[in-house]
Amino acid sequence: MKKLQIYREMPKNEQLDELFAQKLGNLERTPPAALWAQLEEKIAQQNAMLTTHTTAKKRHRIGMVYWSAAATFVGLLVWIGSNYYPQNNSNLNYSTAMAQKAPNHQQDNFKQGKINATPFSQMPNQVQMAQITETKKTQNEKVENLIEEEKNRLNENQNNQYITQETNTSTKIKVTVKINHKTAKKENNNIVQTTPTTDLQDIVSKKDKRSKLNNTLREINNIRLGESEKWELSNVQLLKK
Amino acid sequence: MNEIQLIEACKNQDAIAQRKVYEKHASKMYAVCLRYLKSDAEAEDILTQGFLKVFSKINLYKGEGSFEGWIRRIMVNECLNHLRRTRAMLMTVSIEKAQYYEADSTDTLHQLEAEALMECLQRLPDGYRTVFNLYAIEGYSHKEIAELMNISEGTSKSQLSRARELLKKYIKDIEKTSNISRNA
């Protein structure tokens, strides 16, 4: 049974508070001995969590720095490539294998040391790709040039033929006209009164009708041989009339 | 090693210093926890959690006020948090019950030994006990108690008066039993 000290008088509220504060304010109770061990374990766990958290943070920071540096480097490479690669593209290195396959003037350059003798397999991928594209380009250009030349040759032949045809036509027409004129003149000189010559004489003598004749002659120049023949026939018929 | 050196060592996570701090203050803080919580198991849990917080937040201790007072405040807060978490109906005591307790408030009070007083205190409902502990023993004002427990000042005052009356009743009960044992 607990010891009790009994107060006979009725204490006030403040006295009650004071009593509890005095007795219980500085009260000590020994906790179980195992409690420190538990606390120690919990402290160790907390420290481990803190260290893992801090290391994770550090790793994250290092990773961020690494990736940002890598991104900057790649960006720099791209920039350099985009700015300087087209300029250096003309000075591509040719491999020995390509040099052997290359045309004679390129082989001469290769022998003279103007072109580097770096093996194709040892070259960087970018350079290899550039070389392949370059060879494709040159091949395409050659084919295109050949086609162009062939076209030009064919056009020239056609033009020549056409010109010859035209010239033939014009000469023939001129000849016929001259003949007609001559015949007209001869007929005039001889004072042979024939209807076609008089018609022609009338046409030739009048200046305004001369220009018409010239126009018709120009048109005739553009007409093919068959048509000019028709014209000759019609002209002959006209002369006959 | 004095207290300042111990605190500095604890700031550097020195296990020996931590143990010394624990050994120095554990018994007092355990008693504080027991005043707020009914069972020993709860008090042990809260004591462990409170010391964990002490060692993790020791860098925040600026040397203003006693170190023991700082640890005690942490323990009291931990006890209050625990009560808040575990006992949702902390402040609910029926009016009839409160009036019944007040009817016995005219009896004489006896000065009891600490253990008997602790028993009386632990018999109080959680809300009464917490307000009485904070006001009578820790020295908090009603305003501070209201802020800590998220209640109004009037509630704090009424809880305190009801706690006092109940304590008087418990003491009277103890007196009666002691008289019976003496007569026997």
Side-chain angles (χ1 to χ4, degrees):
Chain A
M1 187 66 201
K2 293 178 180 83
K3 249 184 172 180
L4 299 174
Q5 281 187 332
I6 299 164
Y7 282 89
R8 291 294 169 198
E9 291 179 2
M10 169 67 189
K12 291 176 184 178
N13 289 334
E14 289 77 22
Q15 285 177 326
L16 186 80
D17 294 349
E18 203 178 312
L19 173 72
F20 273 89
Q22 279 176 358
K23 292 284 177 185
L24 300 179
N26 292 314
L27 184 71
E28 290 186 12
R29 282 269 193 96
T30 311
L35 210 64
W36 168 249
Q38 286 178 20
L39 182 64
E40 214 172 12
E41 275 181 24
K42 284 186 177 179
I43 289 166
Q45 282 177 4
Q46 203 176 35
N47 287 336
M49 278 175 70
L50 278 168
T51 48
T52 49
H53 187 67
T54 47
T55 48
K57 268 189 174 179
K58 273 184 184 177
R59 277 182 188 172
H60 182 70
R61 278 181 192 170
I62 290 163
M64 284 292 287
V65 169
Y66 174 78
W67 285 114
S68 59
T72 314
F73 182 69
V74 168
L76 194 70
L77 276 176
V78 168
W79 182 78
I80 288 164
S82 61
N83 283 310
Y84 294 101
Y85 181 71
Q87 291 174 18
N88 295 328
N89 198 16
S90 57
N91 301 323
L92 279 170
N93 295 326
Y94 284 83
S95 67
T96 49
M98 285 183 76
Q100 284 169 4
K101 287 179 183 178
N104 290 327
H105 67 278
Q106 285 186 358
Q107 282 187 7
D108 294 338
N109 286 334
F110 178 72
K111 282 170 187 173
Q112 286 167 14
K114 287 179 183 177
I115 297 167
N116 290 332
T118 314
F120 185 75
S121 58
Q122 288 178 11
M123 286 180 178
N125 290 330
Q126 282 185 335
V127 178
Q128 286 178 355
M129 284 298 294
Q131 283 187 8
I132 290 157
T133 50
E134 182 69 17
T135 49
K136 279 182 179 177
K137 273 183 184 177
T138 49
Q139 283 172 359
N140 289 331
E141 280 174 5
K142 278 178 183 174
V143 170
E144 282 172 4
N145 287 330
L146 281 168
I147 290 161
E148 194 69 26
E149 280 173 10
E150 191 63 24
K151 275 182 181 178
N152 289 330
R153 197 170 58 76
L154 286 165
N155 285 330
E156 277 173 10
N157 290 334
Q158 279 178 357
N159 288 329
N160 290 330
Q161 196 176 358
Y162 185 69
I163 289 158
T164 49
Q165 284 172 2
E166 275 188 345
T167 47
N168 290 331
T169 318
S170 60
T171 46
K172 277 180 181 176
I173 292 159
K174 279 173 187 174
V175 164
T176 49
V177 169
K178 276 176 184 175
I179 291 158
N180 289 334
H181 276 279
K182 278 177 182 175
T183 51
K185 278 177 183 176
K186 278 178 181 175
E187 282 168 356
N188 282 329
N189 292 327
N190 295 328
I191 316 164
V192 178
Q193 293 288 325
T194 51
T195 43
T197 48
T198 48
D199 287 342
L200 188 65
Q201 203 174 16
D202 291 333
I203 293 160
V204 174
S205 61
K206 291 174 184 175
K207 284 182 180 179
D208 54 346
K209 286 183 180 179
R210 242 180 231 172
S211 60
K212 281 181 184 178
L213 186 67
N214 288 327
N215 286 330
T216 46
L217 285 168
R218 273 180 208 133
E219 283 173 6
I220 288 154
N221 283 330
N222 295 324
I223 296 162
R224 288 180 183 175
L225 190 64
E227 287 173 357
S228 63
E229 284 171 354
K230 281 178 186 175
W231 181 83
E232 277 181 43
L233 288 167
S234 62
N235 197 18
V236 168
Q237 283 171 359
L238 195 113
L239 287 167
K240 282 177 180 174
K241 286 176 185 176
Chain B
M1 196 183 269
N2 63 15
E3 195 174 68
I4 297 163
Q5 286 172 332
L6 270 178
I7 292 163
E8 289 300 317
C10 284
K11 283 178 182 177
N12 297 322
Q13 304 294 325
D14 185 353
I16 298 162
Q18 283 174 342
R19 178 152 196 174
K20 279 183 179 174
V21 168
Y22 173 81
E23 283 172 354
K24 192 179 178 184
H25 299 284
S27 51
K28 277 185 185 177
M29 298 308 137
Y30 186 53
V32 170
C33 293
L34 281 172
R35 269 197 284 118
Y36 284 89
L37 307 164
K38 283 184 178 177
S39 69
D40 290 359
E42 279 181 314
E44 285 166 19
D45 281 348
I46 297 305
L47 185 74
T48 315
Q49 282 180 31
F51 269 105
L52 261 178
K53 194 166 257 184
V54 165
F55 294 135
S56 62
K57 306 277 180 188
I58 201 159
N59 287 315
L60 300 173
Y61 177 66
K62 306 289 177 190
E64 295 163 0
S66 71
F67 186 55
E68 190 188 315
W70 185 73
I71 296 172
R72 186 186 283 261
R73 268 208 306 283
I74 287 171
M75 292 296 168
V76 168
N77 284 329
E78 284 295 309
C79 290
L80 292 174
N81 287 334
H82 178 75
L83 287 169
R84 253 186 236 122
R85 281 199 301 271
T86 54
R87 294 166 178 81
M89 307 297 279
L90 186 66
M91 291 296 131
T92 52
V93 176
S94 65
I95 296 162
E96 294 80 24
K97 206 175 177 181
Q99 283 170 346
Y100 166 75
Y101 294 148
E102 283 204 21
D104 295 323
S105 63
T106 52
D107 294 337
T108 55
L109 186 70
H110 309 279
Q111 189 177 8
L112 308 171
E113 289 298 315
E115 292 298 315
L117 288 173
M118 183 66 94
E119 269 184 32
C120 293
L121 197 66
Q122 284 187 335
R123 282 173 69 187
L124 285 173
D126 292 328
Y128 292 0
R129 192 178 62 251
T130 309
V131 173
F132 185 82
N133 263 318
L134 289 170
Y135 185 87
I137 302 170
E138 308 293 346
Y140 285 88
S141 68
H142 283 295
K143 194 181 175 182
E144 287 170 330
I145 294 165
E147 284 173 4
L148 274 171
M149 296 181 72
N150 201 21
I151 54 169
S152 67
E153 281 186 54
T155 311
S156 173
K157 283 174 188 173
S158 65
Q159 296 267 334
L160 179 68
S161 70
R162 285 166 194 171
R164 279 169 181 161
E165 298 311 318
L166 270 178
L167 284 171
K168 282 174 193 175
K169 181 188 172 289
Y170 296 151
I171 289 162
K172 192 184 172 186
D173 290 345
I174 292 167
E175 189 187 16
K176 276 181 187 174
T177 48
S178 66
N179 284 336
I180 292 162
S181 63
R182 274 179 191 176
N183 291 332

